[in-house]
Amino acid sequence: MQGKVLIVTGALGALGKVVAETALARGARVAGIDHAPSQMSATPERIEIGGVDLSDAAQAKTAVEAAARHFGSVDALINIAGGFAFETVTDGDIKTWQRMYALNVLTALNTSRAALPHLAASGAGRIVNIGAMGALQAGSGMGPYAASKAGVHRLTEALANEWKGKVTVNAVLPSIIDTKANRADMPKADFSKWVTPQELAEVILFLASDAASGVTGALIPVGGRV
């Protein structure tokens, strides 16, 4: 990661914070983009770009260009921004499907499209998306979320083929992530079976590294203990 420039979306969330901090500790420079307001001033190693709706293509492009200007280049894009909803197909609201598509698919699509020219110029460009193991076979109440994450999987595969030889594009597919919010929502669960943000960060940063130059179009399940 030494000297690499990473854009991390959803950088102020539970997983995004761990990925950003781990990358910084390994010598990377990080631009964090989030819907929430920025929490810090820019430094030579780090910039936070807050208040961004990445489901809007124009806002995504503006944020990516700001990151590229700050660092002079972009080597990797890690698309963590997203959302979750638990709602049955029969009794749910169509607006939930639209919201899941916007939060999970459009955020990754818009940011990737904005970053791809910079990533191609890097010579070692990487995109890492966050899919979901639960999108491989959707259970009851998982329809809107699983459908949107399946869209992320297909986006990953399509981009990997379109940019083969120029930019690698892969996705990690977590099981349940061990976060405070998930523990509060499922207090009786066995947390030891969940994947930790740090475990996910290790796989994500490997896929963003030079060592993963031969891996593209992969959908990698992480956290198979559940």
Side-chain angles (χ1 to χ4, degrees), residues 18 54 69 71 76 80 93 96 101 103 112 114 118 120 140 146 150-151 158 160 172 203 216 220 224:
V18 173
L54 292 173
R69 282 195 305 272
F71 292 117
I80 297 176
D93 190 328
T96 302
Y101 183 82
L103 289 175
S112 295
H118 300 287
S140 175
V172 297
V203 180
T216 194
I220 302 173

Side-chain angles (χ1 to χ4, degrees), residues 13-15 176-185 191 194-197:
L15 176 58
I176 301 172
I177 305 175
D178 189 359
T179 65
K180 289 182 179 179
N182 283 338
R183 287 190 177 211
D185 288 342
F191 306 142
W194 294 359
V195 61
T196 69

Side-chain angles (χ1 to χ4, degrees), residues 97-123:
W97 290 76
Q98 294 167 335
R99 181 165 59 90
M100 288 296 95
Y101 183 82
L103 289 175
N104 293 321
V105 181
L106 290 184
T107 56
L109 171 63
N110 290 336
T111 314
S112 295
R113 283 166 58 97
L116 276 164
H118 300 287
L119 297 171
S122 159

